[in-house]
Amino acid sequence: MLFKDDGTVVVTNLAEFNNDGDKVSECSGTGKWGAYPEGKKAEKVWTTVCDGNPWEFGGSKAHPKMRRSVGDPDNGDDQTLSRK
């Protein structure tokens, strides 16, 4: 994912999962993005491209990561994106 300052996001070949946590397709496209504020800092981000929102921020400034739950939440399966 590429997040632009103007509020647009570009997604290329992002894996999509079914309710069992199995990869079923890949998603690409452009859309909008925004952050959910919690207290004084934003901890989650949403996009209008691909399903599976919201993403949670994590990692560090040098090694940022985004994570979202996939499949049945009780199984604890996550999809994680990080900077190359």
Side-chain angles (χ1 to χ4, degrees):
M1 282 190 201
L2 173 63
F3 295 92
K4 298 184 178 182
D5 290 339
D6 66 359
T8 59
V9 61
V10 179
V11 179
T12 306
N13 300 329
L14 179 66
E16 293 189 300
F17 299 87
N18 64 16
N19 289 339
D20 293 326
D22 299 320
K23 180 180 172 183
V24 293
S25 65
E26 291 184 349
C27 175
S28 297
T30 59
K32 299 285 181 192
W33 73 273
Y36 295 113
E38 292 189 11
K40 294 187 178 183
K41 66 178 184 174
E43 294 181 351
K44 296 182 182 182
V45 66
W46 57 267
T47 71
T48 60
V49 182
C50 305
D51 292 329
N53 293 317
W55 291 86
E56 295 181 30
F57 294 118
S60 65
K61 188 173 184 178
H63 301 285
K65 294 182 181 183
M66 291 175 29
R67 182 181 71 193
R68 69 177 177 181
S69 177
V70 297
D72 184 342
D74 293 334
N75 291 339
D77 294 327
D78 293 324
Q79 180 180 25
T80 302
L81 300 178
S82 59
R83 180 184 291 169
K84 286 184 176 183

